[in-house]
Amino acid sequence: MSSPTLELGREPLLRVADLTKVYHSKGPTRSDLVANDRLTLEVRAGEVVALLGPNGAGKSTFLRQLAGQLLPSSGSIHVAGIDLVADPLRAKRFLSVIPQESEPIENLTAEEHVRYFGLIKGIPRRDSRRLTDEYLATVGLTEHRGKLVRELSGGLKRRVLIAVALASPTARLLLLDEPTTGLDPEARRSVWATVDSLRSRGIAIVLTTHYIEEAEHLADRVLVIDHGRFVAQGTPQSIIRASEASGHLDVYGVERADPNARAMLSELSSRWSVRFRRPDHWRFDVADPFAAATVQELERLTTAGLRAALAPVSLEDAYLALVGSGGNGG
């Protein structure tokens, strides 16, 4: 029985080509909904890919097809070179899924969880203790192994589920649907540390998230999906560079500003786009935050008694430029 440590491979663990999912309406209008539209993706061992998109953009539909829970309307999915639609039982041996709504069993210990489900998934009994130790260590649960699940924090419970997903003699691809939703910041970062550990061991991970910071921190590659299509993909920095997003100039102390400073802000708002305008905080979109003219305006505002700060284009700025606040259901 081999260790769960993997060698990085050259061939993609996941290959998706022209994947399309259409929900056909049976109502009088017979309006079909295209939830995924010709999506193509390759993921290799040790790579983390994050899907960002508004509610209803098609993230969960895509992940459910990758998990073999939903049949595509057209296109193909290959896991470890095996056609997931034509040979689902063999292909699913190489993947594990943690749905967003998953919860571990409260009256089992962390160790019992991993060992029990590992046996179900085919780990020989003679290897069970050794591999359970390895899986628990991989997700940082060794010191919590004997605790009942109900005694664990939210972040540790998610680690138990990840360890269970790994507890397979063949799993190489992990699918995570919003793995940190509902967790506090400390618990979220503990899950991030687990994902980083799995990446270093050669596990390929595809995850969906609503947290842009999470995608920026974890992902080797980010896919932005909107209305069922990938509208951008690449590293966070490449998406930022390719977007038409703006940086911004934040101005504080507006409520207490004198008339001259307020007049200056009004004049700026006639030339620059205002992202938002609150009683004490205005934000302007600026194409080049560090251009000489922009820096000169910042100095004028500061001289007028306002507090001002420039910020470069972020992944969030790029994301909002790509998808706005849209969503399409599905």
Side-chain angles (χ1 to χ4, degrees):
M1 187 69 188
S2 63
S3 159
T5 303
L6 305 177
E7 293 297 326
L8 297 183
R10 293 184 178 179
E11 289 301 311
L13 278 172
L14 174 67
R15 182 182 283 114
V16 179
D18 294 322
L19 190 69
T20 299
K21 181 62 183 179
V22 181
Y23 292 104
H24 298 287
S25 171
K26 296 181 180 178
T29 60
R30 302 190 65 81
S31 57
D32 294 340
L33 173 65
V34 181
N36 288 162
D37 188 1
R38 293 168 293 173
L39 301 180
T40 295
L41 172 67
E42 290 187 353
V43 183
R44 287 173 166 75
E47 187 175 18
V48 177
V49 175
L51 270 71
L52 282 175
N55 287 330
K59 299 187 302 296
S60 292
T61 297
F62 182 62
L63 210 68
R64 288 179 63 201
Q65 290 178 92
L66 300 189
Q69 299 168 350
L70 191 64
L71 286 174
S73 302
S74 61
S76 63
I77 306 167
H78 287 81
V79 179
I82 303 163
D83 190 319
L84 179 63
V85 175
D87 196 352
L89 290 180
R90 196 158 69 97
K92 286 181 181 180
R93 292 175 61 235
F94 295 94
L95 64 86
S96 286
V97 187
I98 304 178
Q100 181 187 344
E101 64 276 6
S102 291
E103 290 288 342
I105 300 169
E106 296 267 300
N107 60 351
L108 291 180
T109 66
E111 181 177 3
E112 288 168 341
H113 244 289
V114 178
R115 184 173 298 178
Y116 175 70
F117 285 98
L119 291 170
I120 288 176
K121 291 191 283 187
I123 291 178
R125 188 172 296 275
R126 66 179 180 276
D127 298 312
S128 177
R129 180 177 295 277
R130 175 176 60 82
L131 290 177
T132 295
D133 290 346
E134 291 194 31
Y135 295 127
L136 289 170
T138 296
V139 300
L141 281 176
T142 299
E143 65 180 289
H144 303 285
R145 63 187 304 146
K147 293 180 182 177
L148 293 173
V149 166
R150 64 171 174 263
E151 299 171 350
L152 301 177
S153 67
L156 291 176
K157 288 179 180 179
R158 296 303 288 180
R159 291 199 209 180
V160 170
L161 291 174
I162 293 172
V164 168
L166 293 176
S168 161
T170 53
R172 300 293 183 267
L173 171 66
L174 184 58
L175 307 177
L176 303 176
D177 191 7
E178 300 188 24
T180 63
T181 294
L183 299 183
D184 62 48
E186 183 179 356
R188 185 175 301 145
R189 288 187 178 274
S190 77
V191 174
W192 292 2
T194 301
V195 171
D196 281 331
S197 174
L198 298 178
R199 182 206 329 257
S200 70
R201 298 172 71 89
I203 298 289
I205 298 173
V206 178
L207 63 90
T208 67
T209 182
H210 281 295
Y211 300 117
I212 293 175
E213 180 193 9
E214 183 162 274
E216 200 161 16
H217 176 88
L218 288 178
D220 300 295
R221 207 158 17 118
V222 173
L223 308 179
V224 180
I225 186 170
D226 191 31
H227 292 85
R229 294 185 176 183
F230 292 145
V231 295
Q233 57 180 295
T235 65
Q237 285 305 313
S238 71
I239 290 175
I240 290 169
R241 287 194 299 269
S243 76
E244 296 180 358
S246 302
H248 50 263
L249 170 67
D250 286 306
V251 182
Y252 304 91
V254 180
E255 279 187 317
R256 298 177 298 280
D258 63 32
N260 288 335
R262 286 179 175 272
M264 193 180 302
L265 285 173
S266 296
E267 190 271 330
L268 271 183
S269 66
S270 68
R271 293 189 285 119
W272 289 354
S273 173
V274 180
R275 174 78 64 88
F276 59 75
R277 187 179 309 188
R278 296 170 184 159
D280 202 47
H281 177 197
W282 288 27
R283 172 170 290 181
F284 295 92
D285 287 335
V286 289
D288 184 354
F290 302 113
T294 307
V295 173
Q296 184 177 8
E297 293 293 355
L298 178 142
E299 291 171 348
R300 287 181 60 223
L301 293 168
T302 302
T303 302
L306 295 162
R307 289 185 295 112
L310 289 165
V313 181
S314 67
L315 182 60
E316 181 177 6
D317 295 320
Y319 171 79
L320 291 174
L322 288 163
V323 305
S325 58
N328 68 326

